Amino acid sequence: MAVYKRAYRGYAGALTPAWSRFLVLYRFARSSQSRSKIQTVFFVLCFFFPLLCLLGIYANYHLSAFAFLGRRAGPFLNIDGSFFLVYLSVQSGLSFILTAFVGPGLVSPDLANGALTLYLCRPLSRTEYVLGKISVLVITLSWITWVPGLVLFFVQASLSGWQWMTDNIWLANAILWGSFIWILLLAMLALALSAWIKWRIAAGALLLATFFVGAGFAQAVNAVLRTKQGYLLDISRLVSIIWQDLLRQGGDQPLPVTEAWIAVLVLAGLCLLLLMRKVKAAEVIR
């Protein structure tokens, strides 16, 4: 029997802190996503509208300094709740398309190839696995939603002065929470569909159908039953009601804001429950 020199030594370097181990999944998922040129180009294009808004805010205070027809011109943009409502509407549409690209491929490959056992046999719990996968969408979508939105808010505050910022600090809060509820809903829905439908293309198609078919079905329920409760099935309408309330743009809403919040949170909780049922180290097939 051959005798080999025992040269193996255990790893003596620094260990990853336990609280941030789920970010390892985010790092490797993002590295694989960055290899797709289509997703990279689309992600860059998502910053076009925030840049256009930034130029509009800048021009609002610099071009107005020129005199037209012998008098000083006033600002041509009102930076208020309606401005940021349009911003959230545009960026939410772009983030939805980006989620349809990224979301379906986060969990389904692990389930299809039996890789969950390899994940969970390491010092990584089911909760940390789900957090790692959700963080891919949460961090990615944050870069194109509330992060540029807060940049626009603070640029406007720097040009308008301290008084404008103190009077409109609620706008920053509305941008942050409005974006967060949309991101959370998209992330939960995309991961739940990715866990239960292992074919990536079908999961992406079902994500699109959940919003568009749901909106049509809601209109049908309202027309047949002569009610407005059908809007509880329209996810986009529910989030829009919440946004209008946060940005103080609400008028005659089809549903109370409280019902919209409850419906969105219930849907997110249901998606989380469906996701956790699939995230298992072993599965018994009968």
Side-chain angles (χ1 to χ4, degrees), residues 207-249:
L207 178 63
L208 297 173
T210 302
F211 283 83
F212 294 108
V213 176
F217 189 68
Q219 294 290 346
V221 170
N222 290 334
V224 173
L225 300 180
R226 296 181 181 180
T227 181
K228 293 184 178 180
Q229 298 302 313
Y231 287 119
L232 292 173
L233 304 174
D234 188 349
I235 301 176
S236 300
R237 179 62 65 92
L238 294 174
V239 176
S240 178
I241 292 173
I242 294 174
W243 285 349
Q244 292 181 38
D245 178 69
L246 291 174
L247 294 168
R248 302 180 184 178
Q249 298 296 309

Side-chain angles (χ1 to χ4, degrees), residues 37-209:
K37 295 182 179 179
I38 297 177
Q39 293 182 16
T40 303
V41 171
F42 184 79
F43 181 74
V44 174
L45 291 178
C46 291
F47 292 94
F48 176 77
F49 185 72
L51 180 60
L52 187 63
C53 293
L54 182 63
L55 294 176
I57 293 175
Y58 180 83
N60 211 29
Y61 287 88
H62 290 77
L63 296 184
S64 61
F66 293 96
F68 293 95
L69 302 178
R71 63 184 179 87
R72 184 184 178 88
F76 59 90
L77 280 177
N78 292 323
I79 311 302
D80 52 10
S82 61
F83 175 85
F84 286 106
L85 182 60
V86 174
Y87 167 81
L88 285 179
S89 300
V90 174
Q91 294 303 107
S92 66
L94 296 174
S95 61
F96 173 71
I97 297 174
L98 187 60
T99 303
F101 278 111
V102 177
L106 291 177
V107 180
S108 56
D110 297 338
L111 291 172
N113 299 302
L116 279 179
T117 304
L118 299 177
Y119 281 109
L120 300 179
C121 70
R122 289 166 171 78
L124 191 73
S125 65
R126 295 169 60 203
T127 303
E128 289 173 328
Y129 174 84
V130 173
L131 282 176
K133 295 298 182 177
I134 289 178
S135 65
V136 178
L137 289 173
V138 171
I139 297 176
T140 302
L141 299 184
S142 294
W143 282 111
I144 63 175
T145 51
W146 63 267
V147 172
L150 291 183
V151 170
L152 295 177
F153 174 81
F154 286 112
V155 169
Q156 168 68 17
S158 66
L159 295 174
S160 297
W162 178 256
Q163 186 61 39
W164 184 92
M165 181 176 179
T166 55
D167 293 339
N168 296 276
I169 193 65
W170 58 271
L171 280 173
N173 182 67
I175 294 169
L176 182 61
W177 284 104
S179 300
F180 179 75
I181 192 65
W182 176 250
I183 292 172
L184 178 65
L185 193 59
L186 282 181
M188 290 296 184
L189 190 58
L191 291 181
L193 293 176
S194 178
W196 283 85
I197 303 176
K198 297 181 182 180
W199 189 21
R200 180 176 179 178
I201 298 177
L206 187 57
L207 178 63
L208 297 173

